[in-house]
Amino acid sequence: MNLLPSRSTLFASVLVISPLCLAEGEPTDGSVIKDSTKAAVSSFITAGKNLLGGVSEGVLDGRESVQGTDGAAIISSGEQMKDRIAVEVLKLEPSDENFTITLGFKNSTDTQLRLINLGQTGALLAIDQAGYANKLTGMENPDEVTVPPKTAVRQKFVFEGMNEAINTVRVWGADYPVKK
């Protein structure tokens, strides 16, 4: 039986006790304790957010800097896609609460290309006639699509909502019209 406190318990204790030690001898109105605790928690949250942001950027940079095991070049932005991949909206299929859009990705290069992080917030959106964005929904949406050299692939994506007719699909900031 382990009676030692966990790291999270120790950290929480330090967060609570440190402001109390700093406030020793201060007026008892609680504002110093409150301000010290607020500053400590804010610093912790900021550090954690920066840590996670750095990890995320590091993973992306690492994936972009090397080829896939199959020799595919990695694409993670609209800028990287220019003059390499053409996108076309091939089909729109409405259902009760969602709709499926089939996109065509045409590779004009001699290298296999892999589009990554498509499930990332805002990377792939369906824009309706009123100008509102519909995001991807469901677990069936792929986060990446691999396109062989000098060929094209079709890929289905499921979007939420069905309030208005869809006019365009946005891929990394570029809009592609839906065929009427």
Side-chain angles (χ1 to χ4, degrees):
M1 178 178 196
N2 185 3
L3 297 176
L4 295 174
S6 69
R7 288 183 189 186
S8 58
T9 303
L10 287 174
F11 181 72
S13 299
V14 169
L15 281 178
V16 171
I17 292 171
S18 294
L20 294 175
C21 293
L22 292 173
E24 186 178 318
E26 293 290 328
T28 58
D29 66 0
S31 64
V32 171
I33 294 170
K34 181 179 176 184
D35 291 344
S36 297
T37 303
K38 178 181 172 184
V41 170
S42 177
S43 295
F44 175 72
I45 300 277
T46 300
K49 192 173 180 182
N50 289 336
L51 175 69
L52 291 176
V55 168
S56 177
E57 288 176 19
V59 168
L60 182 59
D61 288 350
R63 284 190 78 185
E64 288 176 351
S65 66
V66 297
Q67 287 186 338
T69 56
D70 57 359
I74 304 300
I75 295 178
S76 64
S77 70
E79 187 63 36
Q80 293 172 340
M81 202 168 65
K82 279 186 182 171
D83 301 324
R84 298 165 81 185
I85 294 275
V87 179
E88 183 180 4
V89 180
L90 300 174
K91 190 176 188 183
L92 175 77
E93 302 170 76
S95 65
D96 293 337
E97 296 179 12
N98 300 318
F99 53 94
T100 301
I101 294 178
T102 303
L103 295 179
F105 297 96
K106 292 182 183 179
N107 181 351
S108 61
T109 72
D110 292 326
T111 305
Q112 182 160 280
L113 300 175
R114 181 166 298 117
L115 288 75
I116 64 169
N117 296 337
L118 294 171
Q120 192 176 49
T121 303
L124 193 56
L125 299 168
I127 312 296
D128 67 23
Q129 65 186 8
Y132 289 93
N134 296 279
K135 63 182 182 174
L136 292 171
T137 187
M139 298 301 294
E140 63 271 13
N141 288 312
D143 194 46
E144 59 185 49
V145 174
T146 302
V147 187
K150 299 283 186 186
T151 190
V153 296
R154 292 178 187 90
Q155 181 61 57
K156 290 184 177 187
F157 294 95
V158 180
F159 292 87
E160 69 178 12
M162 202 49 208
N163 297 328
E164 299 280 338
I166 300 301
N167 280 350
T168 60
V169 175
R170 184 171 293 162
V171 182
W172 287 316
D175 289 349
Y176 302 94
V178 173
K179 295 177 183 176
K180 302 291 180 187

